[in-house]
Amino acid sequence: MEHPADLRAEVIAFVRRQTGHKQKTIGDDTTLMYDLGVDGIDAIDLLEAFIKQFGVAPAGLDVERYFNSENGFRALHKAIFTDDQFEPLTIGMLVKIAAAKRWL
């Protein structure tokens, strides 16, 4: 089994490659959408690559739980009709998901 510090470093390196954020500090509490600006098709691409690289079973993943759709309709609907926001998907969560090999 991979050591958590090694896995954390691997997930952070993966996110840096996928997002292009080379200088920004990325830690366990860093969110993909709110801190790094990952959204829409970029979020889907990142998650597909994450699933493939870390061998995570995709069952249970609800992209719209964490990210705005490309056309923004869901975000607009949520802003007008509810107080809900998207649940933040953090680096720490990705590390736990990668360790479990399944979506939590």
Side-chain angles (χ1 to χ4, degrees), residues 22 33 37 75:
K22 304 291 187 218
M33 186 167 100

Side-chain angles (χ1 to χ4, degrees), residues 50-71:
F50 175 80
I51 286 167
K52 185 179 286 187
Q53 178 164 332
F54 293 96
V56 174
L61 169 60
D62 178 9
V63 175
E64 289 190 353
R65 177 177 169 188
Y66 304 104
F67 300 102
N68 185 21
S69 65
E70 197 68 15
N71 66 16

Side-chain angles (χ1 to χ4, degrees), residues 2-44:
E2 203 164 356
H3 188 275
D6 294 341
L7 183 56
R8 178 175 285 103
E10 190 177 340
V11 168
I12 289 172
F14 166 82
V15 170
R16 285 189 186 285
R17 282 191 307 275
Q18 291 291 313
T19 64
H21 285 284
K22 304 291 187 218
Q23 303 300 321
K24 187 174 183 99
T25 300
I26 297 177
D28 284 348
D29 294 332
T30 302
T31 64
L32 294 180
M33 186 167 100
Y34 297 113
D35 294 327
L36 301 179
V38 177
D39 207 1
I41 194 70
D42 293 334
I44 292 169

